[in-house]
Amino acid sequence: MTRYLYIMGTDSGVGKSTVCLGILAQLLAEGYSPQQLAYIKPMTQCVEQQTVARFCTEQAIECIDIGNLVFKKGYTRDFIAGLTPSSTELLATVLQSIVTLGADKAVVLIDGIGSPAVGSVVGVANIDIAALLPCQIIFVGKAGIGAAIDDTVLNVSFIQRKHQHNVGLIYNKIPVNELADTRHYVSKRIVQLLSNTTPLGFIASHNGLPASSAAIAAWFSRYVNVIDWFNAFSQTD
């Protein structure tokens, strides 16, 4: 059975791509073959090749980095004017691309565009897609303590309206000198405010990633452990 892991974040630029790359490297290090894995960004605004896509090509992981739904300038106005396919048609097309990609895979990593609500205007928000898949969700939050917690409560509460499984939380781009405090206070408070969530890790700010897959996995594992949480979900699903 194919397992799906959907990565969402507070907004664009929060570091979802780094998280996706780290998870893929961790899965390879755990013994998954490249042929068992796949990566897809079903909705996008950017049509330039990203780091994750280059990594997938290097590792022979099947990849769709520019999906069926590209939000080009003016797309929202065209949708509201009735000049594009309907919400039902758009959602069906996006879902079909994900399911087709995952037909013979063990794990499909889905890279969301922006926040859980992005795409709502056309009826194809990240959470709309995730709610129709047997998937687990990781939310990537911003740095800080108060702002990070407030933003997580807002976004994850929205996720939990349509998604009943435990939501994993990863915080990225944290200044090195703030990492320990951020980890301590956010981990303690967020589980008090949001039930059915699990803080998975806190990633320090960095200048580039290691070159090899094994080195990326080792670096990522210093901050985050997705595998145990993901495996626990699969055993209880």
Side-chain angles (χ1 to χ4, degrees), residues 17-18 21 24 39 48-58 65 209-210 216:
S17 293
T18 297
L21 203 157
L24 288 171
Y39 166 88
E48 297 179 0
Q49 188 180 53
Q50 302 297 301
T51 304
V52 185
R54 290 192 291 271
F55 176 82
C56 288
T57 299
E58 293 167 0
D65 62 324
L209 295 176
I216 292 170

Side-chain angles (χ1 to χ4, degrees), residues 91-225:
L91 186 57
T93 299
V94 169
L95 281 172
Q96 187 58 53
S97 68
I98 296 170
V99 172
T100 299
L101 178 66
D104 59 349
K105 306 299 180 185
V107 180
V108 176
L109 193 62
I110 306 167
D111 189 353
I113 175 175
S115 76
V118 168
S120 295
V121 66
V122 300
V124 191
N126 285 306
I127 190 57
D128 293 328
I129 300 168
L132 295 174
L133 291 167
C135 76
Q136 193 69 336
I137 292 175
I138 288 177
F139 175 77
V140 183
K142 62 175 68 173
I145 296 176
I149 291 170
D150 291 344
D151 185 75
T152 301
V153 169
L154 174 65
N155 282 283
V156 175
S157 296
F158 180 73
I159 290 172
Q160 291 177 331
R161 290 174 56 193
K162 295 187 177 183
H163 181 83
Q164 302 305 312
H165 298 299
N166 186 281
V167 177
L169 308 174
I170 295 175
Y171 296 88
N172 200 0
K173 299 187 177 182
I174 302 167
V176 175
N177 64 337
E178 298 176 11
L179 187 62
D181 272 359
T182 300
R183 182 188 296 115
H184 173 74
Y185 289 108
V186 174
S187 294
K188 180 177 181 178
R189 184 56 176 154
I190 202 66
V191 294
Q192 296 171 344
L193 294 171
L194 287 171
S195 62
N196 209 21
T197 60
T198 301
L200 299 176
F202 297 78
I203 303 173
S205 297
H206 54 278
N207 296 315
L209 295 176
S212 71
S213 176
I216 292 170
W219 169 82
F220 192 67
S221 296
R222 289 172 51 196
Y223 302 109
V224 179
N225 183 5

Side-chain angles (χ1 to χ4, degrees), residues 24 27-28 32-39 61-62 105-107:
L24 288 171
L27 289 168
L28 290 171
Y32 286 90
S33 71
Q35 293 71 34
Q36 290 178 293
L37 306 177
Y39 166 88
I61 295 172
E62 192 168 356
K105 306 299 180 185
V107 180

